[in-house]
Amino acid sequence: MARGKKIYEGKAKTLYEGPEPGTLIQYFKDDATAFNAEKKAIVDGKGVLNNRLSEFFMEGLNSIGVPNHFIKRLNMREQLIRQCEIVPLEVIVRNYAAGSMSKRLGIEEGTQLPRPIIEFSYKDDDLGDPLVPEEYIIAFGWASQQEMDDIVALALRVNDYLSGVMYGVGIKLIDFKIEIGRVFEGDFMRLIVADEISPDSCRLWDIESGQKLDKDVFRRDLGNLTDAYTEVARRLGVLPTNGPAAANSVIN
Ligand code: TMP
């Protein structure tokens, strides 16, 4: 499919104009970054895996009626998505303490939380995506109270879906981040899940061994990131036919 003009380039993905108004093409790069891009690498095959994995999760969410931006996968690295206005928040859901929560509160990583906890970061790389209370979000007009209620409901549905799917393949969903977009239909606005859902934006631990199968492998130098993501894809049955390495050689 002919690709339109570049609309936006992020750390792990690039967005191009889509074939029809209201659509975009999302291209998954092999770039891995951590700590607000202080640490960077090219990880061969990561983009191919994340394209497949995000397709798998978004299609699953579609099938249970959780609205999201995914339309269809175009090739190994690209998918057609609905254009939306991104709410400038990172919506984080935690089932077990880890990462910044463990650091902030001194809770051992892997401690089960009394219930899923949702938190919000304001999306601004220059500020390092600071954690913000809901009161800031409403007061500064980043989202309305009604939208926040809808965002919480969406995030909890995504959490139930993802936790169940991962549990079914022997993986514990520790936490994840999603982004939400607004789509306008006539006079109507609704919220959809946008961006991506992949091991870049989740913490995934093997239930038996506790082995990390997510971007912490890169953040903390724990081994080969492609191997970890390939294992997640293999368990979910979504490996590209010839494997990520082969896939790399046939993409644009
Ligand atoms: P944190 O413990 O570092 O705050 O991360 C919480 C979750 O959010 C974890 O699954 C990783 C994900 N995440 C992103 O997707 N992007 C980010 O920029 C950060 C900091 C975390």
Side-chain angles (χ1 to χ4, degrees):
M1 188 176 294
R3 216 198 256 154
K5 183 168 106 224
K6 190 193 281 190
I7 302 276
Y8 175 80
E9 179 151 7
K11 287 182 285 230
K13 300 182 296 296
T14 307
L15 295 175
Y16 298 92
E17 256 173 9
E20 284 153 33
T23 65
L24 295 176
I25 291 173
Q26 177 162 259
Y27 177 96
F28 287 77
K29 303 193 278 186
D30 279 342
D31 302 59
T33 65
F35 317 117
N36 206 7
E38 264 173 45
K39 178 170 178 167
K40 286 189 215 181
I42 301 290
V43 177
D44 276 348
K46 180 173 86 77
V48 173
L49 286 157
N50 281 353
N51 186 25
R52 289 281 181 158
L53 285 163
S54 201
E55 170 190 17
F56 176 83
F57 295 127
M58 295 293 187
E59 282 209 313
L61 287 170
N62 254 328
S63 71
I64 60 162
V66 178
N68 64 74
H69 73 169
F70 183 79
I71 302 173
K72 67 171 180 181
R73 188 169 55 80
L74 299 172
N75 55 47
M76 300 304 272
R77 282 182 189 272
E78 293 178 324
Q79 48 184 246
L80 186 66
I81 58 169
R82 285 195 69 170
Q83 185 164 26
C84 59
E85 180 185 283
I86 292 286
V87 176
L89 298 174
E90 303 213 324
V91 180
I92 294 159
V93 183
R94 300 181 186 272
N95 298 304
Y96 298 82
S100 66
M101 172 185 254
S102 287
K103 214 168 173 180
R104 206 179 311 119
L105 302 180
I107 305 176
E108 193 185 341
E109 289 204 307
T111 307
Q112 188 162 18
L113 300 172
R115 61 183 181 86
I117 291 179
I118 305 183
E119 65 188 41
F120 307 96
S121 294
Y122 178 53
K123 257 174 79 71
D124 186 321
D125 280 342
D126 292 342
L127 300 174
D129 297 341
L131 191 66
V132 287
E134 195 168 318
E135 197 171 359
Y136 285 24
I137 298 168
I138 313 290
F140 292 116
W142 300 325
S144 69
Q145 184 63 64
Q146 174 67 54
E147 286 177 327
M148 290 309 288
D149 295 345
D150 293 347
I151 288 171
V152 167
L154 271 178
L156 289 174
R157 290 196 73 194
V158 174
N159 187 41
D160 284 346
Y161 164 78
L162 274 185
S163 296
V165 167
M166 299 316 301
Y167 184 78
V169 296
I171 294 173
K172 205 152 53 171
L173 179 67
I174 301 296
D175 57 30
F176 65 93
K177 183 265 302 188
I178 50 172
E179 295 187 24
I180 303 289
R182 301 183 179 99
V183 286
F184 298 90
E185 286 154 3
D187 286 343
F188 232 69
M189 186 279 290
R190 54 191 193 105
L191 297 173
I192 63 174
V193 178
D195 190 51
E196 72 176 286
I197 300 179
S198 76
D200 267 12
S201 52
C202 300
R203 283 199 174 89
L204 305 170
W205 293 7
D206 179 74
I207 288 176
E208 292 291 316
S209 66
Q211 188 192 352
K212 293 181 172 54
L213 298 170
D214 57 66
K215 204 163 93 174
D216 274 347
V217 170
F218 169 73
R219 292 189 190 98
R220 304 179 187 189
D221 296 319
L222 301 175
N224 183 301
L225 193 67
T226 312
D227 289 351
Y229 289 19
T230 301
E231 176 60 13
V232 176
R234 188 191 65 75
R235 290 195 199 185
L236 294 168
V238 294
L239 260 190
T241 334
N242 301 316
N248 258 342
S249 60
V250 292
I251 359 157
N252 21 357

PDB file of all heavy atoms in Angstrom, residues 90 92 94 98-100 175-177 200-203 219, ligand 1:
ATOM      1  N   GLU A  90      -0.103   8.900  30.060  1.00  0.00           N
ATOM      2  CA  GLU A  90       0.234   7.483  30.054  1.00  0.00           C
ATOM      3  C   GLU A  90      -0.603   6.880  31.163  1.00  0.00           C
ATOM      4  O   GLU A  90      -0.528   7.305  32.321  1.00  0.00           O
ATOM      5  CB  GLU A  90       1.718   7.285  30.323  1.00  0.00           C
ATOM      6  CG  GLU A  90       2.574   8.025  29.310  1.00  0.00           C
ATOM      7  CD  GLU A  90       3.879   7.324  28.974  1.00  0.00           C
ATOM      8  OE1 GLU A  90       4.468   6.709  29.877  1.00  0.00           O
ATOM      9  OE2 GLU A  90       4.289   7.409  27.807  1.00  0.00           O
ATOM     10  N   ILE A  92      -1.295   3.926  33.453  1.00  0.00           N
ATOM     11  CA  ILE A  92      -0.547   2.759  33.935  1.00  0.00           C
ATOM     12  C   ILE A  92      -1.425   1.960  34.891  1.00  0.00           C
ATOM     13  O   ILE A  92      -2.043   2.532  35.797  1.00  0.00           O
ATOM     14  CB  ILE A  92       0.755   3.220  34.634  1.00  0.00           C
ATOM     15  CG1 ILE A  92       1.673   3.875  33.594  1.00  0.00           C
ATOM     16  CG2 ILE A  92       1.463   2.038  35.307  1.00  0.00           C
ATOM     17  CD1 ILE A  92       2.698   4.781  34.183  1.00  0.00           C
ATOM     18  N   ARG A  94      -1.338  -1.324  37.485  1.00  0.00           N
ATOM     19  CA  ARG A  94      -0.400  -2.216  38.192  1.00  0.00           C
ATOM     20  C   ARG A  94      -1.165  -3.274  38.973  1.00  0.00           C
ATOM     21  O   ARG A  94      -2.100  -2.939  39.717  1.00  0.00           O
ATOM     22  CB  ARG A  94       0.448  -1.411  39.186  1.00  0.00           C
ATOM     23  CG  ARG A  94       1.274  -0.316  38.530  1.00  0.00           C
ATOM     24  CD  ARG A  94       2.102   0.430  39.578  1.00  0.00           C
ATOM     25  NE  ARG A  94       2.784   1.575  38.996  1.00  0.00           N
ATOM     26  CZ  ARG A  94       3.984   1.524  38.425  1.00  0.00           C
ATOM     27  NH1 ARG A  94       4.649   0.392  38.356  1.00  0.00           N
ATOM     28  NH2 ARG A  94       4.541   2.615  37.915  1.00  0.00           N
ATOM     29  N   ALA A  98       6.269  -3.058  41.070  1.00  0.00           N
ATOM     30  CA  ALA A  98       7.515  -3.199  40.284  1.00  0.00           C
ATOM     31  C   ALA A  98       7.944  -1.805  39.856  1.00  0.00           C
ATOM     32  O   ALA A  98       7.214  -0.827  40.075  1.00  0.00           O
ATOM     33  CB  ALA A  98       7.313  -4.081  39.050  1.00  0.00           C
ATOM     34  N   GLY A  99       9.116  -1.734  39.259  1.00  0.00           N
ATOM     35  CA  GLY A  99       9.578  -0.502  38.625  1.00  0.00           C
ATOM     36  C   GLY A  99       9.495   0.712  39.524  1.00  0.00           C
ATOM     37  O   GLY A  99       9.928   0.686  40.683  1.00  0.00           O
ATOM     38  N   SER A 100       8.915   1.784  38.975  1.00  0.00           N
ATOM     39  CA  SER A 100       8.933   3.063  39.701  1.00  0.00           C
ATOM     40  C   SER A 100       8.101   3.005  40.978  1.00  0.00           C
ATOM     41  O   SER A 100       8.396   3.722  41.936  1.00  0.00           O
ATOM     42  CB  SER A 100       8.470   4.208  38.796  1.00  0.00           C
ATOM     43  OG  SER A 100       7.124   4.050  38.441  1.00  0.00           O
ATOM     44  N   ASP A 175       2.340  -5.242  35.243  1.00  0.00           N
ATOM     45  CA  ASP A 175       1.778  -3.904  35.021  1.00  0.00           C
ATOM     46  C   ASP A 175       1.815  -3.613  33.520  1.00  0.00           C
ATOM     47  O   ASP A 175       2.388  -4.384  32.747  1.00  0.00           O
ATOM     48  CB  ASP A 175       2.532  -2.819  35.825  1.00  0.00           C
ATOM     49  CG  ASP A 175       4.020  -2.777  35.512  1.00  0.00           C
ATOM     50  OD1 ASP A 175       4.405  -3.107  34.375  1.00  0.00           O
ATOM     51  OD2 ASP A 175       4.819  -2.415  36.406  1.00  0.00           O
ATOM     52  N   PHE A 176       1.191  -2.550  33.107  1.00  0.00           N
ATOM     53  CA  PHE A 176       1.272  -2.130  31.704  1.00  0.00           C
ATOM     54  C   PHE A 176       0.885  -0.668  31.584  1.00  0.00           C
ATOM     55  O   PHE A 176       0.332  -0.073  32.520  1.00  0.00           O
ATOM     56  CB  PHE A 176       0.376  -2.981  30.783  1.00  0.00           C
ATOM     57  CG  PHE A 176      -1.103  -2.844  31.064  1.00  0.00           C
ATOM     58  CD1 PHE A 176      -1.876  -1.918  30.367  1.00  0.00           C
ATOM     59  CD2 PHE A 176      -1.724  -3.624  32.014  1.00  0.00           C
ATOM     60  CE1 PHE A 176      -3.244  -1.780  30.619  1.00  0.00           C
ATOM     61  CE2 PHE A 176      -3.091  -3.498  32.285  1.00  0.00           C
ATOM     62  CZ  PHE A 176      -3.853  -2.572  31.589  1.00  0.00           C
ATOM     63  N   LYS A 177       1.192  -0.131  30.409  1.00  0.00           N
ATOM     64  CA  LYS A 177       0.845   1.264  30.093  1.00  0.00           C
ATOM     65  C   LYS A 177       0.018   1.272  28.812  1.00  0.00           C
ATOM     66  O   LYS A 177       0.356   0.555  27.859  1.00  0.00           O
ATOM     67  CB  LYS A 177       2.142   2.050  29.885  1.00  0.00           C
ATOM     68  CG  LYS A 177       1.994   3.513  29.626  1.00  0.00           C
ATOM     69  CD  LYS A 177       1.969   3.940  28.198  1.00  0.00           C
ATOM     70  CE  LYS A 177       3.143   3.593  27.358  1.00  0.00           C
ATOM     71  NZ  LYS A 177       3.134   4.214  26.008  1.00  0.00           N
ATOM     72  N   ASP A 200       6.997  -3.938  25.060  1.00  0.00           N
ATOM     73  CA  ASP A 200       7.641  -2.643  25.327  1.00  0.00           C
ATOM     74  C   ASP A 200       6.895  -1.893  26.418  1.00  0.00           C
ATOM     75  O   ASP A 200       7.481  -1.064  27.123  1.00  0.00           O
ATOM     76  CB  ASP A 200       7.607  -1.753  24.070  1.00  0.00           C
ATOM     77  CG  ASP A 200       8.853  -1.885  23.214  1.00  0.00           C
ATOM     78  OD1 ASP A 200       9.643  -2.819  23.449  1.00  0.00           O
ATOM     79  OD2 ASP A 200       9.027  -1.056  22.293  1.00  0.00           O
ATOM     80  N   SER A 201       5.594  -2.128  26.522  1.00  0.00           N
ATOM     81  CA  SER A 201       4.758  -1.305  27.409  1.00  0.00           C
ATOM     82  C   SER A 201       4.083  -2.124  28.513  1.00  0.00           C
ATOM     83  O   SER A 201       3.137  -1.654  29.140  1.00  0.00           O
ATOM     84  CB  SER A 201       3.704  -0.571  26.572  1.00  0.00           C
ATOM     85  OG  SER A 201       3.001  -1.482  25.760  1.00  0.00           O
ATOM     86  N   CYS A 202       4.578  -3.354  28.722  1.00  0.00           N
ATOM     87  CA  CYS A 202       4.035  -4.204  29.802  1.00  0.00           C
ATOM     88  C   CYS A 202       5.204  -4.768  30.606  1.00  0.00           C
ATOM     89  O   CYS A 202       6.322  -4.821  30.120  1.00  0.00           O
ATOM     90  CB  CYS A 202       3.326  -5.429  29.235  1.00  0.00           C
ATOM     91  SG  CYS A 202       1.945  -5.116  28.148  1.00  0.00           S
ATOM     92  N   ARG A 203       4.910  -5.212  31.822  1.00  0.00           N
ATOM     93  CA  ARG A 203       5.866  -6.098  32.501  1.00  0.00           C
ATOM     94  C   ARG A 203       5.259  -7.483  32.529  1.00  0.00           C
ATOM     95  O   ARG A 203       4.128  -7.666  32.995  1.00  0.00           O
ATOM     96  CB  ARG A 203       6.188  -5.620  33.921  1.00  0.00           C
ATOM     97  CG  ARG A 203       7.134  -4.461  33.952  1.00  0.00           C
ATOM     98  CD  ARG A 203       7.822  -4.258  35.308  1.00  0.00           C
ATOM     99  NE  ARG A 203       8.822  -3.202  35.188  1.00  0.00           N
ATOM    100  CZ  ARG A 203       8.552  -1.912  35.389  1.00  0.00           C
ATOM    101  NH1 ARG A 203       7.352  -1.523  35.756  1.00  0.00           N
ATOM    102  NH2 ARG A 203       9.499  -1.013  35.240  1.00  0.00           N
ATOM    103  N   ARG A 219      16.181  -2.662  29.664  1.00  0.00           N
ATOM    104  CA  ARG A 219      16.454  -1.598  30.638  1.00  0.00           C
ATOM    105  C   ARG A 219      17.542  -2.031  31.620  1.00  0.00           C
ATOM    106  O   ARG A 219      18.386  -1.254  32.018  1.00  0.00           O
ATOM    107  CB  ARG A 219      15.196  -1.261  31.448  1.00  0.00           C
ATOM    108  CG  ARG A 219      14.073  -0.597  30.660  1.00  0.00           C
ATOM    109  CD  ARG A 219      12.962  -0.100  31.594  1.00  0.00           C
ATOM    110  NE  ARG A 219      11.772   0.325  30.869  1.00  0.00           N
ATOM    111  CZ  ARG A 219      10.693  -0.450  30.695  1.00  0.00           C
ATOM    112  NH1 ARG A 219      10.643  -1.665  31.207  1.00  0.00           N
ATOM    113  NH2 ARG A 219       9.664   0.005  30.017  1.00  0.00           N
TER     114      ARG A 219
HETATM  115  P1  TMP B   1       7.277   2.198  35.659  1.00  0.00           P
HETATM  116  O1  TMP B   1       7.248   1.182  36.767  1.00  0.00           O
HETATM  117  O2  TMP B   1       8.658   2.456  35.135  1.00  0.00           O
HETATM  118  O3  TMP B   1       6.537   3.443  36.017  1.00  0.00           O
HETATM  119  O4  TMP B   1       6.485   1.539  34.429  1.00  0.00           O
HETATM  120  C1  TMP B   1       5.141   1.107  34.549  1.00  0.00           C
HETATM  121  C2  TMP B   1       4.709   0.421  33.262  1.00  0.00           C
HETATM  122  O5  TMP B   1       4.655   1.340  32.200  1.00  0.00           O
HETATM  123  C3  TMP B   1       5.634  -0.688  32.786  1.00  0.00           C
HETATM  124  O6  TMP B   1       4.842  -1.750  32.273  1.00  0.00           O
HETATM  125  C4  TMP B   1       6.446  -0.088  31.695  1.00  0.00           C
HETATM  126  C5  TMP B   1       5.509   0.937  31.117  1.00  0.00           C
HETATM  127  N1  TMP B   1       6.195   2.122  30.641  1.00  0.00           N
HETATM  128  C6  TMP B   1       6.014   2.523  29.318  1.00  0.00           C
HETATM  129  O7  TMP B   1       5.339   1.852  28.554  1.00  0.00           O
HETATM  130  N2  TMP B   1       6.642   3.651  28.901  1.00  0.00           N
HETATM  131  C7  TMP B   1       7.398   4.415  29.720  1.00  0.00           C
HETATM  132  O8  TMP B   1       7.930   5.433  29.271  1.00  0.00           O
HETATM  133  C8  TMP B   1       7.555   4.003  31.079  1.00  0.00           C
HETATM  134  C9  TMP B   1       8.395   4.821  32.029  1.00  0.00           C
HETATM  135  C10 TMP B   1       6.931   2.868  31.498  1.00  0.00           C
END
